C-alpha cells in the first residue's frame, strides 16, 4: 500500500513559495542582527527600497526656480593674488652722471670683474675709514661672527671692576657705525646688573663674550681683541682702568667717554 505524499512535497521543484526566499535576503541585508525579521508573507518591495536607501543623509535638492536662475551661470572665480612689487634694480654706471670718468669707471669694473655694487663697496671700504682696517672675529663655536673697522694698532682697556676682573674683559672701543654683526643675533644673550647700562652679551652655546656695550660708552661697542681673527692686528697697547672706583675713574679720564663718537 503506497503512502500519500504531503501537499508541500507534491509541488514541483522549480516553483517558488511566495515570500519564502525573500525573507532571508532581507534579513541578511539588515545592518544588525538585533532587528526583527519581516513576516514571511510581506512583499520584498519595502526591503528593496531600504537596501537602495543610502546610509548617510541625502543632500537637499534645490527647487526648480533656483535651478533655472543658476542655469548657465558659472560659479564666481576667486580673485587672483596680486603679484609682489618688482624689486628695484641696482643702478648701472650708464644711469649715473659720471661725467668724464664714465669710461674709466666702466674699464675699472671690467678689469676687476665687479658689479656696480661690488665696485662701490670696494671704493667705500678703501676710503670711508682711511687709516683703519677691517677686523673680523667671533665666538669660539662660530655661531657669532662680526666685522669691525678699527686701527691696526689697538688701544686696549684692562678694567678691574667686579665683572671685568672675573671674566678678564680686555677690550677696545669703537663707534656703533663701525661695527657690523654678520651672523648669530639669535645666538646672543645678555647679562646686566647694578645700573644695567652695560650690556654684557655672550654666545648662548659656548659662553664666549666677543663684544659688548660698555657702561663707559653705551652708544658704542667694546671688542675683545683676543676674539679677532689673525692677520689684521699690528700692535697692542694696554691701559689699566680703575673700574672698581668707576665714577672717579671716568671723571679723571680725558678720552674714554668720547671713544664711541664719530
Amino acid at each position: 500500500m503506497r503512502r500519500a505524499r504531503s501537499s508541500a512535497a507534491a509541488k514541483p521543484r522549480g516553483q517558488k513559495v511566495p515570500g519564502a526566499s525573500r525573507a532571508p535576503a532581507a534579513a541578511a541585508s539588515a545592518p544588525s542582527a538585533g532587528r526583527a525579521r519581516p513576516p514571511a508573507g510581506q512583499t520584498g518591495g519595502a526591503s528593496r527600497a531600504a537596501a537602495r536607501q543610502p546610509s548617510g543623509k541625502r543632500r537637499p535638492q534645490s527647487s526648480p526656480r533656483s535651478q533655472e536662475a543658476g542655469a548657465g551661470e558659472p560659479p564666481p572665480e576667486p580673485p587672483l593674488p596680486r603679484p609682489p612689487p618688482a624689486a628695484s634694480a641696482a643702478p648701472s654706471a650708464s644711469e649715473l652722471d659720471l661725467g668724464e670718468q664714465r669710461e674709466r669707471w666702466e674699464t675699472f669694473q671690467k678689469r676687476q670683474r665687479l658689479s656696480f655694487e661690488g665696485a662701490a663697496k670696494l671704493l667705500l671700504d678703501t676710503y670711508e675709514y682711511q687709516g683703519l682696517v677691517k677686523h673680523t672675529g667671533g665666538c669660539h663655536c662660530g655661531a657669532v661672527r662680526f666685522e669691525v673697522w678699527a686701527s691696526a694698532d689697538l688701544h686696549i682697556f684692562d678694567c678691574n671692576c667686579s665683572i671685568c676682573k672675573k671674566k678678564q674683559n680686555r677690550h677696545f672701543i669703537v663707534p656703533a657705525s663701525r661695527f657690523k654683526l654678520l651672523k648669530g643675533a639669535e645666538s646672543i644673550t645678555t647679562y646686566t646688573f647694578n645700573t644695567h647700562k652695560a650690556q654684557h652679551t655672550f654666545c648662548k652655546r659656548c659662553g664666549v663674550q666677543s663684544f659688548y656695550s660698555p657702561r663707559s660708552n653705551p652708544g658704542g661697542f667694546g671688542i675683545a681683541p683676543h676674539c679677532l681673527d689673525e692677520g689684521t692686528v699690528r700692535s697692542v697697547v694696554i691701559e689699566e682702568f680703575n673700574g672698581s672706583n668707576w665714577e672717579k675713574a671716568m671723571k679723571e679720564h680725558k678720552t674714554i667717554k668720547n671713544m664711541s663718537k664719530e
Side-chain angles (χ1 to χ4, degrees):
M1 188 173 180
R2 295 182 181 180
R3 294 182 181 180
R5 294 184 181 180
S6 62
S7 61
K11 293 182 179 180
R13 293 182 181 180
Q15 184 177 0
K16 294 183 180 180
V17 180
S21 61
R22 293 176 183 175
S29 63
S32 59
R35 293 188 179 180
R37 295 182 178 179
Q42 186 178 355
T43 59
S47 62
R48 288 196 299 271
R52 290 196 300 268
Q53 183 72 19
S55 57
K57 295 182 179 181
R58 290 187 177 181
R59 297 181 180 178
Q61 297 181 355
S62 57
S63 62
R65 290 186 179 179
S66 61
Q67 291 179 358
E68 292 177 1
E73 295 181 2
E77 297 182 357
L80 297 176
R82 294 182 179 179
S88 57
S92 61
S94 59
E95 297 175 354
L96 298 178
D97 185 12
L98 298 178
E100 297 180 356
Q101 308 305 318
R102 180 182 304 279
E103 185 177 353
R104 289 182 60 194
W105 179 263
E106 294 176 350
T107 303
F108 172 76
Q109 280 188 258
K110 292 178 181 179
R111 185 185 300 122
Q112 300 296 329
R113 297 180 180 179
L114 294 172
S115 63
F116 181 83
E117 181 182 358
K121 183 178 183 300
L122 178 62
L123 180 66
L124 291 172
D125 288 350
T126 305
Y127 294 103
E128 186 178 14
Y129 303 119
Q130 291 192 25
L132 306 179
V133 297
K134 183 169 68 174
H135 305 278
T136 57
C139 66
H140 182 264
C141 69
V144 178
R145 294 289 299 171
F146 65 85
E147 67 180 27
V148 58
W149 286 90
S151 173
D153 304 307
L154 300 178
H155 188 101
I156 309 298
F157 289 100
D158 185 7
C159 181
N160 66 350
C161 73
S162 62
I163 189 170
C164 288
K165 186 176 181 179
K166 286 185 177 292
K167 64 179 180 179
Q168 296 294 295
N169 184 25
R170 298 180 180 90
H171 59 278
F172 63 95
I173 301 171
V174 298
S177 60
R178 298 183 188 177
F179 176 86
K180 182 179 181 181
L181 182 65
L182 300 177
K183 72 169 186 174
E186 70 285 351
S187 300
I188 295 174
T189 189
T190 304
Y191 170 72
T192 63
F193 71 102
N194 195 10
T195 63
H196 303 283
K197 289 185 178 180
Q199 303 290 309
H200 298 273
T201 51
F202 58 93
C203 176
K204 295 178 183 178
R205 183 178 179 184
C206 63
V208 170
Q209 176 186 288
S210 53
F211 67 92
Y212 82 115
S213 297
R215 181 184 175 187
S216 62
N217 288 263
F221 288 96
I223 312 299
H226 44 275
C227 289
L228 297 179
D229 300 333
E230 297 181 358
T232 54
V233 178
R234 184 167 52 199
S235 66
V236 170
V237 175
I238 299 177
E239 177 185 356
E240 294 183 354
F241 182 79
N242 187 19
S244 58
N245 194 351
W246 194 87
E247 286 78 7
K248 182 181 178 181
M250 283 295 296
K251 187 176 180 179
E252 294 177 351
H253 205 285
K254 297 180 180 179
T255 60
I256 189 172
K257 63 181 66 177
N258 297 322
M259 287 189 167
S260 61
K261 296 181 180 180
E262 296 289 346

